[in-house]
Amino acid sequence: MTTRTKTPDLLDNPPVPVQVKLAAAWTSFMFLYIYVDYFHLYKPGTVDKILAGVVFEFGISPTLLTAMLASVAIPALMVMLSMTLPARVSRATNLVVASLYIPYSVFNAVGESWDWAPFYGLSIGIEVLLLAFILRSAWTWSRTPAVPAGSETTDLRQDLRQ
């Protein structure tokens, strides 16, 4: 009797847990979010307004800076929360936070001239796509329990190490 065993293909992609997808999407969102703010500083007149004590139309104050810190801290925390919260809570949290950040992202273009449409269109477009991915991943999160690793998985890992 011949026993056939399937040899692992090293290029096969094992399923990625939803928590990892969400954390990766929030990480990408954070990188983009921070770089958009950074590159915005190169816009003519921006630094002069900041030195004059004005951001957007608001005077720089402890309240403004706290609100700005919170707007960055929430997505940063979502990276960790997506990996550590129980599935049901993580799903709901991701749905709520991503839904709130879509209009917040679009608000960044308010009052800008059409000269800056490519910059804001690309940055907001990618932000919204990442948030849509988060919403879709959280919404379609499987409700079936994961299959615990058995001897086949352990044997496969040992084979790959050799």
Side-chain angles (χ1 to χ4, degrees), residues 147-157:
V147 177
S151 61
E152 292 175 357
T153 307
T154 306
D155 294 341
L156 177 61
R157 287 183 186 150

Side-chain angles (χ1 to χ4, degrees), residues 3 25 66 77 85 109 121 157:
T3 305
T66 302
L77 288 171
L85 288 174
R157 287 183 186 150

